Amino acid sequence: MTTSESPAPGTDGPVVRTASGAVRGLREQGLAVFRGIPFAEPPVGAARFQAPRRARPWDGTREAYAFGPPPPQEPGVLGPSARPAGPTGDDWLTLNVWTPDPDPSAARPVMVWIHGGAYKLGHGGQPGYDAQHVTRDGDVVVVTLNYRVGMEGFALWSGAPANRGLLDQVAALEWVQENIGAFGGDPARVTVFGESAGAGSIASLLAMERARGLFHRAVAQSVPGTFFSAELARDMAAALAAEAGRQPTAADLAAVDPRRLAEAGQALSAKMARYVDRWGQAAPTVTPFSPVVDGEVLPTTPWQALASGAAREVDLLAGHNRDEFRLFMFIGGMSGTITEERAADVLRLLAPGGEAGERAYREAFPTASPGELFARVQTDWLFGMPSLRLAEAQLAGGGRSHVYELTWPAPGGDGVLGACHGLDIPLLFGTFGADLGGLLFPGGRPTPEAEHLSTFIRRSWTAFARTGDPGWPAYDTGTRPVQVLDAEPKVTPYPEEKSRRIWEGFDFRALPLLD
């Protein structure tokens, strides 16, 4: 059985025996790399829209040379040219391993990357997630994985468990516990790390009983504040199913090709703004997918769970970028176009207290332009304050957390991007010319400053995975020490104090369905 569509590169690669069978990887630049290892059965046929099922064993040695096929999804913010390339098929639930040496006695720290993509796109085999630099520089074992996204993974269908994408992540972490020792990793030192929807997934895993004990440290980069109530998710599911001409049930939708469903999800995303009177703050996000607080898979929001001590035994590193929303303004052609009226509308929709929140922002930032206020409140609401408050909730629950903020500006985008959303990915992985990195770094060429900061971030993240200490003081609510990631990284009190005060006391709850 093979995962490679091209002729096998050879038979001299490293072989590791997993619980399901043997896999042969490749030697690449001093590392052993294994791609496309199944951790669950293909979620099709009778398994469609159901919880993941354990991968079936295979005979012989499976060639782990190529990434598994990405799950069905939209093309993403970079357009149709960014559609996932590579193998096709239904074996979506696979993972990939980079290791310095698959020696079971090595017991290296393990880092499991959970990708972002608005819960509707992305996969573990993206070029931007090539883990060779993290693995080599940190002397760690790195795992990247696929999970179901969009309609397959997060829509709330009748007859299907909620949060199937999160259940896929749990299944991958169970695979890590069972098998990573054979790849030279230590199952007692597993760190999950992820960005955007990946960070939101990690926040969810921290709150989930069934994920307890599967990881020991967590890095949450730009945690989204969007979690759906069951009522909101059901209403969105009805609209999603209607786009496909079906009822919102697993039985009815199982007859629809998964790629056709992805197109239906994209169609609804494009017109979500029409639903603001019904879906409220969720409408402007243009994604009808988020973790659902269903009371079973996800019993409550991560902020409530952590404050109650649900993950106090897990070391947490959380942070965000200073100018998160500028990326979406740039891609959407909004830079320099925001009117006073539009800024006022979004301030009243998103800021705490509606009109009172708008006044608070205008008083805190009296010289800000409409475009700056528009970007500031969306950065704070969507990523900045949820990330900071996750760290604070961990403290309230008796745990420990470290906090960072990325303030170094991206060199691309004619200077308007700033320290935008996603900039931390190429800096962390050193993949400056891949995926979003090609936009943020013109020509894919990092500046000396970028190289320096990239090395600092990798060393900090891998040190945290090894010891629980990234190299700066743990956060507290007295002095609020934060690692500022800039050309010259330094520790200061939390830089966004004006925003923090506006949001102080705000409770991030599951977004409701409006009457």
Side-chain angles (χ1 to χ4, degrees), residues 275-288:
Y275 291 81
V276 68
D277 291 339
R278 189 169 182 82
W279 297 345
Q281 293 175 327
T285 66
V286 299
T287 176

Side-chain angles (χ1 to χ4, degrees), residues 438-465:
L439 170 66
L440 303 178
F441 295 87
R445 293 183 297 273
T447 62
E449 278 187 357
E451 291 276 20
H452 173 70
L453 183 56
S454 178
T455 299
F456 182 89
I457 292 173
R458 272 196 301 281
R459 287 176 178 172
S460 300
W461 267 228
T462 54
F464 178 76

Side-chain angles (χ1 to χ4, degrees), residues 170 205-215 299 305 309-311 313-314:
V170 169
L205 293 170
L206 288 166
M208 291 168 58
E209 178 65 34
R210 65 188 71 197
R212 197 84 19 100
L214 296 179
F215 57 94
E313 74 286 355
V314 178

Side-chain angles (χ1 to χ4, degrees), residues 59-79:
D59 297 325
T61 300
R62 183 183 180 110
E63 296 172 357
Y65 301 155
F67 294 116
Q73 58 191 263
E74 301 177 25
V77 295
L78 299 182

Side-chain angles (χ1 to χ4, degrees), residues 98-124:
W98 285 257
T99 178
D101 183 20
D103 176 3
S105 67
R108 291 180 170 87
V110 180
M111 299 183 71
V112 180
W113 174 255
I114 301 179
H115 69 77
Y119 305 105
K120 62 181 181 180
L121 36 99
H123 59 104

Side-chain angles (χ1 to χ4, degrees), residues 317-405:
L317 170 58
H320 62 89
N321 304 348
R322 182 186 59 201
D323 309 305
E324 298 269 11
F325 202 74
R326 287 197 195 179
L327 173 70
F328 307 105
M329 293 179 69
F330 180 80
I331 290 173
M334 292 183 281
S335 301
T337 70
I338 304 302
T339 63
E340 181 65 41
E341 181 181 16
R342 191 169 183 189
D345 287 343
V346 78
L347 283 164
R348 291 168 191 164
L349 178 66
L350 301 181
E355 291 185 5
E358 179 193 2
R359 288 194 300 272
Y361 265 92
R362 293 189 184 279
E363 291 169 3
F365 304 96
T367 62
S369 68
E372 289 168 338
L373 287 170
F374 182 86
R376 182 75 265 154
V377 70
Q378 300 206 69
T379 289
D380 291 344
W381 172 76
L382 190 53
F383 298 112
M385 295 305 107
S387 300
L388 179 67
R389 296 297 291 277
L390 192 74
E392 293 179 342
Q394 179 71 334
L395 265 65
R400 187 175 71 153
S401 57
H402 292 78
V403 176
Y404 74 89
E405 183 180 20

